[in-house]
């Protein structure tokens, strides 16, 4: 287990027992500037505010469902912040709103998936550098490996030694780590030395199943050694630790050293989704005991203690978050359903006569215009 | 197998056999069926993702872990191939596993174990290792869920030698078909229409109940849900209720629609199809799955084979389109709606040779 | 993508476009098609288990790694879901992957990636992330192989929205269909009839060759392989050759059989089916896959829909049985044989209404 | 990595770097008696002779194909020898002829699969304690976990504390280790503490792909630590080391300590199967360099050196092997094809009307009686 060199390393870092078979290469990145620290805080507050608002939207009937990321703001904002959107590519699950926000994705287009406007969301993945929202647990982990190997192949030809080759980062959970695809992805990536960062948010739960009945051995990071791949198990509630670990992992992968796994230890403070009832499988006491300190509040205290930000800055950040949320809510409210013809038009690049015939009969029988 | 489990199972059979009629939702009916099956057969095991403490995301296994313990009813890690592969091994050890995959779309990771292992082990082992696995799959669309939560896999399953496939259309069917499926020595894919989980209906408990099947025996074969003379609507799962609605509307126009609940999607009750369509001479088959290579083609062809001389029109198929299952309001455009089914009826009624 | 690969690709195009006719086995024709596709499009990649140094267990990729390097043609670890999942990611990065699964039966572990990812990514991404993945699957039976080496998955694939499916019946078709499939922007499942790999046949290279399709354009749609007036036999893959044999035998009895090679199993060329059966008024569809919910049902229903008035008999299906693909000599009992196809023809010819 | 305590441990044992997260429990088993050593040798010679004969059978047209286990006799005989067929259950792949023989399976019934008489073989798996032959790579690894968990469930109820509960042993190769199912199996087994022995024969090759391009990190045993599962990487060409490791693993699992992984390092000296041509991907020089000493010859020398057996014993063993092979060959030669009706009759326990109709039409149209 590699320990984090950053002074910002939280209590969760360096826990994993046993030596790594291969160490992460490269020096620690530059420390974050005060401006960056404040930016991170603003992002976390924006994400927290949008996240809690989205639950309210669902209660109010504006959206049919939502998967909150309450408690995972540090893990998501910190890792998303480390992405270089000019060259890297990110593969999310269904819970990475904070990553999308940190990457600068259009949030109306992102949140539209929760309005059930379009599976995958309305944002352009190529421009956003964020693959469509993925509902299959573990479904996109292999895509990251393929995309990353594509970078290697482009590099092989000799034109990408200029460092423009990107790194793929794939997100998945403690539950997803049980899927066969995740193993295949790690093995492929390590065999091919593909530039991939496997970013695991171990939030303690897969719906109702706690990590100890999910992850044999107790740690996803501990799996990496078996593939000869370096891993970092970090305090996922310490946003600075997350940024620094992610940057190191990116640097390692970008330099051609192959994949890295980061296990960010965090806690799903909310329900699995708006249709879940956590009271059936964990008590409020459990939640209080296991969740640890709120990552947003913790970062706020630290900025205050370090003199990086003051109350007026925090108030501004919150006000900005509110304005942003209102804007996004308005966008979501204004979103109408997609035209039915998109069902047919977006199946293929080259449509087929059978599909055209079905579209024609749909128009005739069902189009309510 | 140890008979200690047998005894502990017997101890659980704390309720007398039910009689009469009760109003239950399909969720309640399925839960009750599982409860009774667990009580009656100590070799049965119920498991899957979130099936234990949570009672399943649809609460179908609600309360069962508390009642039968974590040995008989348990959560697994999040891996569908693992769940089905483990089921095969448990069956080889003499158990009757009743696994769940959480949603239709998450059966795909388990297809290899289902098709290459569970469906074939009886054959491969020359009958020495049967696979009494009852796989529950919350199925079909209509609940505005995320991607992969509204799929219809019946055509895939029905094509696989070694599998049997069944889908209940209401609480009564759900209770009886699940109890029946979970006592068979062969693998059964049990497709639950998730959009009907919360609909209530009368469940008749008398085991001699003739509603269980046309002949009063076990609930095998198809079932006439409404008799009619002009056209037969064939459906399964959630589409049965919709077809009954359509039949009611058509009756207002003097069109007398017979509705056949296919129930068993493998083996298909070809005799019931023939009997109905020989009478009505017109048929419309309705399903949510995409048109091409859907089970509607098989149903239509079975009808055409047996009723070629009497059919007044080619069998109509009203189905989902050949498009990935869509999100939100587009569901209503995709799933066969009342209008589309009525158009289909109209086409078979108005068909003129020439 | 880097254009260095583009250049290195271009450098490989060391042969002038072929003209005229050559006698090749299907294995040679497929190998040639891949060679040319690799030379012509630097974004294409060929990979799978044992595809590199060994050249594939059927030698379809023979010599390609030596020619195009380990970057363009490579072995993967032994994991089919990994192969297809990686293909999706490579496609997202702008490549055109041409993966292989070693045998039909080993496509099952990859079904989740094929159905939920590759088939839907274009849709999910609203057309921004097309999936030009050409998946080669050595398919069908007849070679006395171990279990899971003789499967017919076309009904499964054809049912999946977002996939296209094609199967060549001879070396000419193999060459042209693979070259065509591997230049499409959509995912194509390319089902190679492994029992025909070593059969030789004439391949016509002139790109203006009207044999490529009825209309002289790209090889889309079905293809009449033999004209006839009395009955249409519809088949694909290895069954086309068998149907041509049957047609020869039937001709001795004065029965004039038309043989239609369906070629594309999705989308199905409904117009060609209608045109042929409107003429012959009788049809028999032949496939190796099990009967129930097989693609034969879809073909039969499409014919019945379009030719209801002219059909003289219900469409016959001569298929594999609803049993797991058997071993050794039992293969000959399972796969439609000449006798069974002749019986089918007899039934449609002798059918009398009444 | 746990090192083998047996004096018989070969050079391959104890190679795996890094500590085990949990050690194998239990004392080393009793050393093998001279009788047992001679029995092991006889088994190895019988297996070697049958194996090489089967290749000849294929060349002569008696059987359509065969997957030789040449070079893996020690791994197979040694592990199969450790099975207690009164209670354990074994899940083979397609290459475990030596395991079947060591377990006492009817070898005509076993070899019938290679005559293409019946997929899975004609032996009764329940009586043989050997699951049907498995052609899907990695296909049966999860079955072992389910079967083993069934033992635990039976034990839970309190009647199996008498030690009659069995252990499942599943075989797979270095290639199979890449399959998602194998990961899911290890994770399930370790989470459930199922009594499973994962027996990996790392024979260096998966058809044409060498281990180094298959197994990231280079060792399947190294994966075990990530699941909190003990592993033994052993010299798979040392039959005594194999017996002892397998016995220890069985004892560990039987005592309720959960699964164990054994990686037996060996070498596939022959082609992948009779239709393979290894000359396309490895040279004879490679084979000579990498294969190491022939495990049968090595054991012979050792028995001789230790005075456990002499030339006359070896001659007898070979003669017995020849007699046995002739007997099996005669049985295989006598095997006719299975009646076609079995295709229909063995699909289900309860047949269906549709299937009966198909059987009837098959009888009518195709039965050549
Ligand atoms: C293949 C698959 N199986 C099951 C599900 C249903 N499901 C959705 S989320 C979830 C739990 C995921 O847990 P984890 O990977 O820890 O991510 P988290 O939800 O905690 O972010 C399950 C079982 C699914 N979406 N995909
Ligand atoms: C799921 C699956 N994919 C592919 C194959 C084809 N195949 C058969 S054996 C084999 C190599 C297996 O290698 P390994 O697991 O090391 O076992 P070994 O053959 O060396 O005993 C392959 C690719 C298969 N049988 N099953
Ligand atoms: Mg989680
Ligand atoms: Mg191997």
């Amino acid at each position: 287990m590699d320990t984090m060199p950053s002074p910002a390393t939280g209590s969760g870092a360096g826990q994993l027992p046993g030596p790594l078979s291969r160490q992460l290469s490269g020096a620690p990145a530059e420390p974050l500037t005060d401006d960056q620290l404040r930016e991170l805080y603003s992002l976390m507050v924006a994400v927290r505010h949008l996240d809690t608002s989205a639950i309210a939207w669902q209660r109010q009937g504006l959206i049919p469902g939502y998967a909150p990321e309450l408690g995972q703001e540090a893990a998501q904002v910190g890792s998303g912040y480390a992405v270089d959107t000019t060259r890297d590519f990110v593969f999310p699950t269904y819970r990475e709103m904070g990553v999308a926000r940190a990457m600068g994705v259009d949030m109306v287009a992102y949140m539209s998936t929760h309005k059930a406007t379009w599976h995958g969301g309305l944002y352009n993945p190529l421009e956003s550098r964020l693959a469509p929202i993925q509902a299959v647990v573990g479904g996109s982990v292999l895509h990251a490996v393929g995309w990353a190997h594509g970078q290697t192949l482009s590099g092989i030809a000799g034109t990408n030694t200029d460092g423009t080759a990107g790194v793929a980062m794939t997100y998945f959970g403690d539950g997803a780590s049980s899927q066969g695809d995740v193993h295949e992805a790690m093995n492929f990536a390590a065999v091919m030395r593909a530039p991939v960062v496997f970013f695991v948010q171990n939030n303690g739960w897969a719906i109702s199943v706690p990590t100890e009945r999910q992850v044999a051995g107790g740690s996803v990071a501990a799996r990496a050694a078996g593939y000869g791949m370096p891993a970092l198990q970090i305090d996922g509630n310490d946003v600075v630790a997350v940024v620094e670990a992610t940057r190191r992992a990116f640097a390692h992968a970008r330099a051609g050293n192959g994949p890295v796994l980061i296990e960010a230890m965090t806690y799903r403070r909310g329900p699995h989704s708006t249709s879940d009832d956590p009271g059936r499988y964990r008590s409020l006491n459990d939640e209080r005991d296991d969740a640890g300190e709120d990552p947003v509040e913790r970062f706020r205290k630290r900025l205050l203690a370090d003199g990086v930000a003051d109350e007026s800055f925090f108030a501004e950040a919150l006000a900005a978050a509110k304005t942003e949320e209102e804007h996004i809510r308005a966008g979501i409210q204004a979103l109408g359903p997609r035209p039915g013809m998109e069902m047919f038009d977006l199946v293929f690049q080259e449509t087929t006569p059978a599909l055209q015939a079905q579209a024609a009969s749909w128009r005739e029988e069902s189009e309510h215009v | 197998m140890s008979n200690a489990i047998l005894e502990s199972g017997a101890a659980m059979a704390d309720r007398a056999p039910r009689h009469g009629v009760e109003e239950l939702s399909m969720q309640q009916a399925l839960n009750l069926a599982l409860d009774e099956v667990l009580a009656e057969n100590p070799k049965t095991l119920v498991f899957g993702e979130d099936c234990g403490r949570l009672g399943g995301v649809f609460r179908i296994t609600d309360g069962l872990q508390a009642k039968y313990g974590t040995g008989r009813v348990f959560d697994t890690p999040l891996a569908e191939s693992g769940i089905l592969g483990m089921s095969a091994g448990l069956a080889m050890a003499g158990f009757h596993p009743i696994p769940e995959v959480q949603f239709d779309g998450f059966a795909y990771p388990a297809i290899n174990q289902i098709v290459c292992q569970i469906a074939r082990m009886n054959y491969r082992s020359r009958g020495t290792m049967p696979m009494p696995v009852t796989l529950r799959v919350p199925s079909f669309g209509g609940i505005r869920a995320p991607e992969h939560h509204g799929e219809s896999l019946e055509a895939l399953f029905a094509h696989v030698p070694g599998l049997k496939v069944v889908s209940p259309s209401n609480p009564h069917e759900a209770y009886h078909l699940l109890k029946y499926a979970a006592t068979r020595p062969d693998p059964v894919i049990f497709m639950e229409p998730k959009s009907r989980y919360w609909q209530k209906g009368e469940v008749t408990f008398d085991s001699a109940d003739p509603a269980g099947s046309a002949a009063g025996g076990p609930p095998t074969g198809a079932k006439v849900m409404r008799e009619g003379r002009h056209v037969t609507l064939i459906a399964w799962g959630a589409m049965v209720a919709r077809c009954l609605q359509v039949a009611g509307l058509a009756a207002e126009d003097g069109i007398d629609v017979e509705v056949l609940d296919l129930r068993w999607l493998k083996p298909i009750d070809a005799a019931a199809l023939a009997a109905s369509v020989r009478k009505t001479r017109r048929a419309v088959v309705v399903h949510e799955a995409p048109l091409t290579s859907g089970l509607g083609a098989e149903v239509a062809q079975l009808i055409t084979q047996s009723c070629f001389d009497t059919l007044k029109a080619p069998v109509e198929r009203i189905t989902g389109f050949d498009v990935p299952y869509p999100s939100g309001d587009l569901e209503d455009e995709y799933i066969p709606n009342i209008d589309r089914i009525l158009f289909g009826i109209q086409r078979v009624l108005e068909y003129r040779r020439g």
Side-chain angles (χ1 to χ4, degrees), chain A, chain B:
Chain A
M1 174 62 210
D2 201 316
T3 49
M4 289 295 302
S6 154
T9 298
S11 62
Q15 299 161 338
L16 189 68
L20 264 188
S21 57
R22 194 148 39 98
Q23 300 295 319
L24 269 193
S25 61
E30 291 286 293
L32 291 161
T33 64
D34 286 357
D35 272 351
Q36 289 173 321
L37 292 170
R38 283 188 295 263
E39 190 184 0
L40 281 168
Y41 180 80
S42 297
L43 282 168
M44 285 172 76
V45 170
V47 166
R48 165 66 57 90
H49 189 69
L50 181 56
D51 193 64
T52 46
S53 302
I55 298 176
W57 298 356
Q58 193 271 337
R59 305 281 181 250
Q60 295 154 14
L62 175 58
I63 60 176
Y66 181 66
E69 52 100 63
L70 189 76
Q72 300 177 222
E73 292 85 358
Q76 297 203 357
V77 167
S79 54
Y81 191 77
V83 174
D84 177 347
T85 53
T86 66
R87 51 183 170 174
D88 301 326
F89 211 95
V90 172
F91 296 79
T93 76
Y94 42 85
R95 203 190 290 289
E96 270 70 64
M97 186 271 278
V99 177
R101 177 63 187 84
M103 286 174 65
V105 175
D106 174 343
M107 293 310 285
V108 174
Y110 179 89
M111 294 298 283
S112 67
T113 196
H114 299 297
K115 198 179 182 186
T117 308
W118 194 260
H119 294 318
L122 289 175
Y123 57 96
N124 180 316
L126 292 181
E127 286 163 12
S128 310
R129 312 299 286 179
L130 182 71
I133 287 159
Q134 175 65 247
V136 179
V137 164
S140 66
V141 182
L142 280 159
H143 305 171
V145 177
W147 189 93
H149 187 57
Q151 300 300 299
T152 308
L153 290 179
S154 300
I156 272 176
T159 55
N160 260 300
T161 47
D162 54 0
T164 57
V167 171
M169 176 153 61
T170 170
Y171 286 86
F172 58 96
D174 44 300
S177 74
S178 297
Q179 286 285 353
D181 270 16
V182 170
H183 159 66
E184 297 187 11
M186 291 191 198
N187 189 48
F188 271 61
V191 163
M192 302 187 308
R193 294 177 71 83
V196 182
V197 176
F198 295 100
F199 195 96
V200 188
Q201 287 172 82
N202 186 336
N203 64 4
W205 295 91
I207 307 187
S208 72
V209 179
T211 306
E212 58 271 23
R213 279 187 287 128
Q214 181 76 249
V215 180
S219 153
V220 182
R223 304 265 165 89
Y227 304 98
M229 170 167 66
L232 299 163
Q233 193 185 52
I234 61 170
D235 180 349
N237 295 333
D238 176 341
V239 68
V240 175
V242 174
V243 175
E244 295 188 354
T246 313
R247 285 183 171 178
R248 277 186 68 200
F250 267 95
H252 179 91
R254 203 183 306 284
N257 300 307
V260 183
L261 188 148
I262 296 175
E263 184 178 21
M265 306 308 288
T266 178
Y267 192 83
R268 197 198 76 210
R269 299 172 92 94
H272 170 73
S273 74
T274 44
S275 51
D276 182 33
D277 173 11
R280 294 178 69 100
Y281 53 82
R282 67 185 195 196
S283 68
L284 290 176
N285 277 345
D286 292 342
E287 287 181 20
R288 238 190 321 270
D289 295 349
D290 298 342
E293 199 184 358
D294 179 325
V296 182
E297 181 54 21
R298 174 171 158 189
F299 192 41
R300 197 187 66 83
K301 281 190 196 153
R302 174 174 159 181
L303 292 182
L304 207 54
D306 292 356
V308 175
D310 57 16
E311 292 298 347
S312 79
F313 173 77
F314 300 140
E316 258 169 56
L318 184 61
K322 285 184 175 163
T323 310
E324 183 175 322
E325 184 266 321
E326 275 159 31
H327 181 79
I328 297 166
R329 172 205 289 259
I332 289 293
Q333 244 157 351
L335 271 182
R338 301 306 307 171
M341 270 307 289
E342 286 189 355
M343 281 199 298
F344 304 97
D345 289 346
L346 295 173
V347 180
F348 290 119
Q349 292 280 314
E350 295 179 341
T351 189
T352 70
L355 207 47
Q356 282 176 306
Q358 291 180 29
S361 91
W362 169 78
R363 258 191 198 293
E364 219 176 283
E365 299 182 354
S366 302
E367 208 177 5
H368 317 293
V369 272
Chain B
M1 214 194 67
S2 138
N3 39 11
I5 278 196
L6 217 141
E7 285 147 27
S8 73
M12 294 300 176
D14 57 359
R15 90 165 64 72
R18 302 210 172 197
H19 286 289
V21 175
E22 261 181 69
E23 181 92 357
L24 297 176
S25 70
M26 186 181 286
Q27 175 268 337
Q28 290 170 319
L30 291 166
N31 181 260
L32 182 63
L34 287 178
D35 190 348
E36 294 182 3
V37 164
L38 281 163
E40 287 160 16
N41 180 358
K43 297 186 173 184
T44 50
L45 303 171
V46 168
F47 54 88
E49 296 156 12
D50 307 291
C51 282
R53 194 135 180 211
L54 181 63
V57 294
F58 290 110
R59 309 291 184 262
I60 307 301
T61 58
D62 193 22
L64 300 177
Q65 184 175 70
K67 193 159 176 187
Y68 297 96
T70 53
R72 303 275 312 279
V73 179
F74 54 96
D75 292 327
T76 64
L78 207 176
E80 291 77 11
S81 193
I83 293 169
L84 273 295
M86 184 171 96
S87 298
L90 283 163
M92 288 160 115
F95 289 86
H96 186 126
I98 311 179
E100 172 185 294
V101 295
Q102 200 162 80
F103 285 90
D104 32 66
F106 311 131
Y108 291 113
I111 287 295
N112 183 44
Q113 283 292 333
I114 296 171
V115 174
C116 296
Q117 305 300 337
I118 289 175
R120 295 194 195 185
M121 195 60 76
N122 187 71
Y123 189 79
R124 187 183 298 146
S125 72
R126 303 176 55 74
T128 62
M129 293 182 135
M131 287 282 119
V133 177
T134 313
L135 172 60
R136 294 183 39 252
V137 187
S139 290
F140 314 126
I143 64 161
R144 295 289 191 271
E147 200 178 357
H148 315 292
H149 293 64
E151 311 275 307
S152 301
L153 277 74
E154 68 270 24
L156 191 171
F157 290 131
H159 190 46
V160 177
L163 295 182
K164 295 173 181 178
V165 187
V166 68
S167 184
S169 63
N170 63 37
H172 177 86
E173 296 299 327
Y175 172 82
H176 289 285
L177 288 171
L178 184 50
K179 285 209 70 175
Y180 183 73
T183 51
R184 304 331 313 153
D186 292 310
V188 180
I189 310 293
F190 192 87
M191 301 177 71
E192 302 171 359
K194 64 175 92 75
S195 69
R196 309 292 301 170
Y197 274 146
W198 312 109
Q199 300 291 321
K200 296 216 161 203
E202 285 189 352
V203 180
T204 310
F205 285 100
D206 187 342
S207 58
D209 165 37
S213 82
T220 56
K223 188 166 161 184
V224 176
M225 303 299 275
R226 176 184 173 126
E227 302 217 19
R229 292 165 301 137
H230 298 146
V231 56
T232 304
L233 280 185
I234 300 114
W236 49 90
M239 288 297 102
V240 173
R242 181 149 304 173
C243 286
L244 287 168
Q245 240 185 315
V246 166
L249 290 171
E252 295 173 13
D253 289 338
I255 302 166
D256 195 10
V257 177
E258 176 144 316
V259 178
L260 195 72
D261 179 356
L262 197 57
R263 298 205 298 191
W264 289 88
L265 311 179
K266 174 87 167 274
I268 294 177
D269 188 349
L273 289 172
S276 177
V277 180
R278 255 186 229 123
K279 179 178 69 173
T280 60
R281 307 203 288 182
R282 292 170 182 90
V284 177
V285 50
V286 179
H287 62 62
E288 297 184 35
L291 175 76
T292 297
S293 203
L295 200 64
E298 181 66 40
V299 170
Q301 173 61 7
L302 286 174
I303 291 170
T304 308
Q305 278 170 218
S306 62
C307 305
F308 188 69
D309 299 349
T310 43
L311 265 183
K312 288 288 181 199
V315 180
E316 275 284 328
R317 294 184 282 170
I318 309 297
T319 71
F321 299 109
D322 287 341
V323 309
Y325 194 87
S327 187
D329 290 344
L330 290 177
E331 269 195 323
D332 299 338
E333 306 300 317
Y334 174 89
I335 298 181
N337 56 29
I338 289 176
D339 283 356
R340 287 176 58 207
I341 301 171
L342 284 169
F343 276 122
I345 291 176
Q346 195 181 341
R347 277 195 295 276
V348 294
L349 287 171
E350 293 181 354
Y351 188 87
R352 294 289 170 273
R353 289 182 187 272

